Amino acid sequence: MTFSIKKIVPHLAVVLVFIVTALLYFSPVLSGKKMFQSDIQQYRGMAKEQMDFRAQTGEEPYWTDAAFGGMPTYQLGAKYPYNWIKSLDLSIRFLPRPADYLFLYFIGFYILLLVLRLDWKYAGLGALAFGFSSYLIIILGVGHNAKAHAIAYMPLVLSGIILTFRKKYIWGFILTAVAMALEIVANHVQMTYYLMLLVLVLGIAYLIDAIRKKELPHFFKSVGILVLAVVLAVGTNAASLMATSEYSAFSTRGKSELSINPDGTAKQDASGLDKAYINQYSYGISETLDLFIAGLYGGSNSEPYNKDSAFTEFLLKQGVPPAQVESIFGQFGLYYWGSQPGVSGPAYLGAVVVFLFVLGIFMVKGRLKWWLLGGTILSLLLSYGGNLSWFTDLWIDYFPLYDKFRAVTSIQVIAEVCVPVLAVFGLYKILQKTEAKEDKLKALKWTTGITGGLSLIILLFNGTLFSFAGGNDAYYIQNFGMEFISAVKDDRKALLIKDTLKTLILVLIAAGLIWFYIKKKLSETQVIIVMAILIVFDLVQVDRRYVNTENFMAARLVEQPFQATQTDKQILQDTTRYRVFEQSIGLNGARTSYFHNSIGGYHGAKPARLQDLAEFYLYQGNIQPLNLLNVKYIITQNEEGAEQVQINPQANGNVWFVQNVKIVPDADTEILALDSLNTRQTAIVQKKFANEITSKIFPVDSTDSIELVAHQPNYLKYKSNSATEKLAVFSEVYYPEGWNVYVDGNEANYFKADYILRAMMVPKGKHVIEFKFEPEVVKTGSKISLASNIVLILIVLGGLFYGYRKKTSTAEA
């Protein structure tokens, strides 16, 4: 028992260090402050209606009216029955946000390195290198919490897979199933997809090794076990996955109904995203160097203010008062000059970490090196996107589901995982006495020559290897003059030189440490401690340029990210049901959704039909979509820039009877037919729904009426009275997968009209019509989740019992 305690004490100490480190980096959380995250601010706007409904009723609506005219909440933090894995996830993330994610980075990577049979000291160093890599910190600063969440569980999934391939079948299965379930619950499909790519590279490495060692039966047995583990993990998340899949077909990520573009040209016949959209954020090939030198390409387009900068001097020369210089400095977003439209900071892995990674290439042999090196190279090549279009196009055209994701630079998360692992193994190998001294000195010489030499070349040429020309420089020259951009270029160059010099110094210190160890002047532990200090110092110094205490504010301001304007208050006096369009935000912001039912919002997968209407009409200045979606109020700005409200007198209202029906053959004709059509009088219906309609003409009767009398996000109640059967059009988004309609309590049929709305035949006489959102996918998925969770718990308990019995039997023997 004493021996077991001694073995576990170092790990407990490391975990404590991780907790303290996470809290210290995000120290404002200790005083109750919260981080302002721009994406989370938008999420709060999108999700406010569902959160309010949940708080008031204790029920989950699964639908919101507040965004995009109406959409499911499956990707807006919806809660599902029997989601026990989510409860486990929350128990692991017990620290205040965002310290919880930083701790999760640390602990997951630490476990991976332990599974790879590294000592706790090396594992702790590697965890710090991974957790503090700048990309992982920067995404927390901007609020990409789901992305951070999914990345944090990647090492844990890899740990389970590696255990399985090491013939630890039971524990490998259990860890893979649990970790994969946690990975899925993080709800960032793109990151999980990239993890799959890394796992494929790992699988190829194991396959080649199995062929060489003639262990193919073991390889395929391991693959079978892992497939079962993933299936079980998917089952535990069945409700969310099935619901997301269902919505995906309805969103801009699904296959469009249309075959034409707004300009009349043929639409690309693909179910994925447009190539230009996928490649919008493409990493520059030479930009790869900022993994090693943080400020090589200007850092970010919101680089922190420097009072000694050339641009500051330029502003002062122009007569700008010193007190205003800092505010003007932050208005332009000038310093980043790479290939992407803009970045929040460099994907800096660290000078020491990259040095050790190169050392690992020379020192580490076999399957591990080729897996990690292969994953790194693949991620870099794919991150180049449009800058290496022939390679990217192959993946978009032929690799399953690759065309569903944009921002190809995100795939560098694979390198974020692989580089620190190989770096730590490089350090481990060179500090072991099993390696020949001559091999160590040779590897050290080559590594120092490559990394230090690269830094030295950049310094010696004094930045003349680079143009320092940004994509928007022509605009600034035209509007502010050449002197303006010359000052900016001087600052870009100064940042490059400063960070390159820092990188060179760190490389030389790291090389010196290893040299002194080889010469027996330092011990292994001393080298590890100093390396850890160097890595943390290096990475944190860069991290804090972009994410620091200034990102935090009072919790109340974070929890209430938007303040109602006088315009909002004026609109909210109207207690009827309507929608609002805010012109300054358009369809790409959630501020409006925080206060009103909006046709805009903030989401990576918008409802496709709304986006189509916007592209065909709204963006062209035609307000037909506003009328159809009952946009009663339009928030505009007057000539002085002040907000004002315009009432849209053409808004169709919540529901109406039409006089005529126009049958069209397909979606193309349907959307085009809306142009200049009086949709209050005529409905456009596709031919496939024609059998739902009993007539094409419905006589007007002044006594006919239909009105909305009650509404919730997931429930709508109407009363109708008509002398004859009528066709009613409802100003509600058509979404057949969950919305059911009832007439006087009896289920009825409805169909799509006017490209985006619901319509139905209403019998003559007085009737109560109710729309209820009753998603069958949630019910079915929840049952699967319950069964999968029970199976997973039984397997875990069985594994624990098996381990206990095996240990007891060994002790008795």
Side-chain angles (χ1 to χ4, degrees):
M1 186 67 177
T2 305
F3 178 74
S4 297
I5 291 175
K6 285 183 178 179
K7 284 181 67 176
I8 202 171
V9 164
H11 302 302
L12 293 175
V14 169
V15 172
L16 182 61
V17 168
F18 290 161
I19 293 171
V20 172
T21 303
L23 290 173
L24 285 177
Y25 187 86
F26 294 114
S27 57
V29 300
L30 299 173
S31 58
K33 291 185 177 181
K34 291 190 175 183
M35 178 181 282
F36 176 82
Q37 300 169 295
S38 56
D39 274 28
I40 300 303
Q41 178 192 39
Q42 297 293 333
Y43 162 76
R44 288 181 180 276
M46 289 278 287
K48 186 176 186 296
E49 183 186 54
Q50 69 164 319
M51 290 191 289
D52 288 348
F53 183 84
R54 187 189 297 149
Q56 293 165 8
T57 67
E59 300 175 5
E60 194 67 30
Y62 296 116
W63 186 271
T64 180
D65 290 320
F68 299 122
M71 66 180 290
T73 62
Y74 304 146
Q75 288 291 299
L76 297 176
K79 295 183 178 181
Y80 302 97
Y82 314 120
N83 197 354
W84 299 345
I85 289 295
K86 185 64 178 179
S87 299
L88 173 62
D89 168 61
L90 292 172
S91 67
I92 298 172
R93 294 188 295 115
F94 57 90
L95 293 179
R97 187 169 295 175
D100 58 341
Y101 290 121
L102 183 53
F103 172 74
L104 208 58
Y105 291 156
F106 291 151
I107 197 67
F109 205 80
Y110 182 73
I111 291 171
L112 173 60
L113 293 180
L114 291 179
V115 167
L116 288 169
R117 298 174 181 167
L118 282 177
D119 179 82
W120 64 269
K121 296 187 290 292
Y122 290 96
L125 178 148
L128 293 171
F130 173 71
F132 279 127
S133 56
S134 70
Y135 181 78
L136 301 191
I137 298 298
I138 288 167
I139 60 176
L140 293 177
V142 298
H144 293 173
N145 288 0
K147 179 184 287 187
H149 198 174
I151 293 170
Y153 281 128
M154 286 181 178
L156 207 58
V157 175
L158 295 170
S159 301
I161 293 170
I162 291 167
L163 273 180
T164 305
F165 278 116
R166 285 194 172 159
K167 301 184 180 180
K168 305 288 185 181
Y169 298 125
I170 294 177
W171 293 113
F173 175 88
I174 290 172
L175 183 54
T176 302
V178 173
M180 194 65 209
L182 290 167
E183 170 71 26
I184 294 170
V185 90
N187 196 28
H188 201 292
V189 178
Q190 186 170 1
M191 293 301 104
T192 303
Y193 181 84
Y194 291 157
L195 170 62
M196 181 201 73
L197 295 183
L198 180 56
V199 169
L200 285 177
V201 177
L202 175 62
I204 292 170
Y206 271 110
L207 176 60
I208 294 171
D209 196 56
I211 293 171
R212 284 179 47 247
K213 295 178 179 178
K214 298 181 179 179
E215 292 185 343
L216 282 176
H218 156 64
F219 173 82
F220 288 113
K221 179 180 179 180
S222 298
V223 170
I225 290 170
L226 292 171
V227 169
L228 290 175
V230 171
V231 169
L232 188 57
V234 168
T236 63
N237 290 278
S240 62
L241 289 174
M242 291 170 65
T244 297
S245 176
E246 182 183 272
Y247 171 68
S248 179
F250 173 80
S251 76
T252 51
R253 302 298 173 101
K255 185 174 178 61
S256 176
E257 285 187 282
L258 301 175
S259 63
I260 56 171
N261 293 309
D263 61 2
T265 59
K267 183 181 283 287
Q268 180 182 344
D269 185 20
S271 60
L273 300 173
D274 180 73
K275 286 183 180 179
Y277 187 61
I278 291 172
N279 291 324
Q280 184 180 10
Y281 284 82
S282 293
Y283 207 53
I285 294 175
S286 60
E287 208 171 339
T288 306
L289 291 173
D290 71 7
L291 301 174
F292 181 52
I293 301 170
L296 189 74
Y297 274 85
S300 78
N301 53 324
S302 55
E303 197 66 15
Y305 169 66
N306 180 359
K307 65 179 180 180
D308 298 322
S309 68
F311 187 60
T312 300
E313 184 179 345
F314 167 79
L315 292 175
L316 292 172
K317 283 183 180 179
Q318 302 303 309
V320 177
Q324 297 180 18
V325 168
E326 184 173 355
S327 62
I328 292 176
F329 184 92
Q331 288 178 9
F332 290 98
L334 294 166
Y335 282 178
Y336 173 73
W337 56 281
S339 296
Q340 301 172 69
V343 295
S344 298
Y348 182 59
L349 291 170
V352 178
V353 173
V354 173
F355 169 83
L356 293 175
F357 170 75
V358 177
L359 183 66
I361 295 175
F362 291 105
M363 292 299 301
V364 179
K365 310 297 180 185
R367 179 183 62 215
L368 178 69
K369 178 176 78 172
W370 295 116
W371 164 51
L372 297 169
L373 191 57
T376 301
I377 292 171
L378 176 65
S379 70
L380 291 177
L381 292 176
L382 287 174
S383 73
Y384 298 146
N387 295 316
L388 195 65
S389 57
W390 68 267
F391 186 72
T392 302
D393 286 350
L394 287 175
W395 284 73
I396 293 173
D397 293 336
Y398 300 110
F399 203 86
L401 304 179
Y402 191 81
D403 61 351
K404 299 290 185 181
F405 308 109
R406 67 181 293 255
V408 292
T409 51
S410 296
I411 201 170
Q412 285 190 356
V413 297
I414 293 178
E416 298 282 341
V417 174
C418 293
V419 170
V421 175
L422 189 53
V424 175
F425 268 93
L427 179 63
Y428 169 76
K429 281 290 187 179
I430 208 161
L431 296 185
Q432 297 310 296
K433 294 181 173 58
T434 54
E435 304 294 328
K437 181 178 179 181
E438 294 75 16
D439 292 340
K440 292 180 180 180
L441 287 171
K442 183 179 178 180
L444 179 61
K445 179 182 72 174
W446 277 102
T447 301
T448 307
I450 293 170
T451 55
L454 179 62
S455 306
L456 189 60
I457 288 170
I458 294 173
L459 282 175
L460 289 176
F461 281 88
N462 202 24
T464 56
L465 295 173
F466 303 95
S467 69
F468 301 103
N472 294 321
D473 287 3
Y475 168 82
Y476 291 119
I477 291 171
Q478 181 179 353
N479 288 275
F480 303 105
M482 182 59 74
E483 191 178 353
F484 176 97
I485 208 65
S486 294
V488 172
K489 285 187 174 183
D490 287 344
D491 284 345
R492 291 169 179 167
K493 181 177 177 181
L495 182 59
L496 178 147
I497 292 172
K498 183 187 75 171
D499 278 0
T500 304
L501 181 60
K502 186 196 79 168
T503 289
L504 177 60
I505 292 170
L506 288 169
V507 163
L508 294 177
I509 293 173
L513 285 170
I514 293 173
W515 188 86
F516 277 116
Y517 170 79
I518 295 172
K519 295 299 182 179
K520 299 183 179 179
K521 303 293 184 181
L522 292 173
S523 68
E524 177 187 4
T525 300
Q526 288 172 327
V527 174
I528 292 172
I529 291 172
V530 179
M531 283 289 189
I533 292 171
L534 285 176
I535 288 170
V536 172
F537 165 78
D538 177 25
L539 290 170
V540 169
Q541 182 264 334
V542 174
D543 293 342
R544 295 190 76 81
R545 293 182 192 175
Y546 310 106
V547 182
N548 49 54
T549 55
E550 294 181 4
N551 293 79
F552 288 83
M553 58 180 60
R556 178 184 59 82
L557 297 177
V558 175
E559 291 166 0
Q560 299 177 356
F562 303 105
Q563 303 301 315
T565 64
Q566 288 300 318
T567 301
D568 294 319
K569 294 174 182 177
Q570 178 184 343
I571 295 172
L572 288 170
Q573 291 177 7
D574 185 342
T575 58
T576 64
R577 192 165 188 270
Y578 51 84
R579 294 189 179 93
V580 176
F581 177 61
E582 191 164 356
Q583 282 188 333
S584 62
I585 294 175
L587 299 186
N588 297 305
R591 194 208 77 85
T592 321
S593 299
Y594 193 78
F595 302 103
H596 315 286
N597 288 344
S598 171
I599 66 164
Y602 187 84
H603 200 274
K606 301 175 185 175
R609 292 192 188 96
L610 179 69
Q611 183 66 25
D612 291 339
L613 282 177
E615 291 175 359
F616 273 78
Y617 293 108
L618 199 56
Y619 296 163
Q620 315 302 325
N622 188 325
I623 67 168
Q624 186 70 287
L626 305 187
N627 301 335
L628 286 170
L629 291 167
N630 191 28
V631 175
K632 186 176 180 180
Y633 297 102
I634 303 172
I635 301 176
T636 64
Q637 294 181 338
N638 59 26
E639 293 180 356
E640 289 75 34
E643 270 191 358
Q644 61 183 15
V645 178
Q646 290 184 358
I647 297 177
N648 177 20
Q650 300 178 55
N652 286 11
N654 292 302
V655 60
W656 57 95
F657 288 136
V658 294
Q659 301 170 30
N660 308 291
V661 179
K662 182 178 180 181
I663 306 296
V664 295
D666 52 33
D668 293 345
T669 317
E670 184 179 16
I671 197 169
L672 292 174
L674 293 172
D675 187 26
S676 304
L677 183 75
N678 184 342
T679 52
R680 284 281 299 183
Q681 294 182 1
T682 303
I684 306 296
V685 177
Q686 274 193 55
K687 184 179 180 180
K688 62 183 178 181
F689 298 117
N691 61 343
E692 299 281 353
I693 302 169
T694 58
S695 174
K696 292 184 180 180
I697 299 175
F698 300 92
V700 177
D701 189 315
S702 61
T703 62
D704 293 343
S705 66
I706 185 168
E707 60 177 338
L708 177 72
V709 295
H711 61 90
Q712 292 178 341
N714 58 358
Y715 175 76
L716 299 161
K717 182 178 180 180
Y718 304 85
K719 287 186 177 180
S720 71
N721 184 13
S722 59
T724 60
E725 187 180 38
K726 294 288 186 179
L727 176 62
V729 178
F730 303 84
S731 184
E732 303 296 333
V733 171
Y734 176 75
Y735 190 82
E737 307 294 343
W739 277 106
N740 296 319
V741 66
Y742 301 86
V743 177
D744 300 329
N746 299 310
E747 189 166 1
N749 295 328
Y750 68 97
F751 50 93
K752 179 166 69 73
D754 296 340
Y755 192 71
I756 195 173
L757 303 182
R758 305 172 204 167
M760 68 177 293
M761 296 302 302
V762 177
K764 67 178 182 179
K766 295 183 178 180
H767 300 283
V768 172
I769 302 167
E770 296 171 291
F771 276 95
K772 300 178 183 180
F773 193 57
E774 303 166 317
E776 193 64 33
V777 69
V778 173
K779 298 174 186 177
T780 303
S782 296
K783 292 175 183 177
I784 297 172
S785 295
L786 176 60
S788 300
N789 280 315
I790 291 172
V791 171
L792 181 57
I793 289 172
L794 291 175
I795 291 174
V796 171
L797 292 176
L800 291 172
F801 180 73
Y802 172 79
Y804 172 77
R805 286 291 300 271
K806 187 176 180 180
K807 186 175 180 180
T808 303
S809 300
T810 304
E812 290 175 352

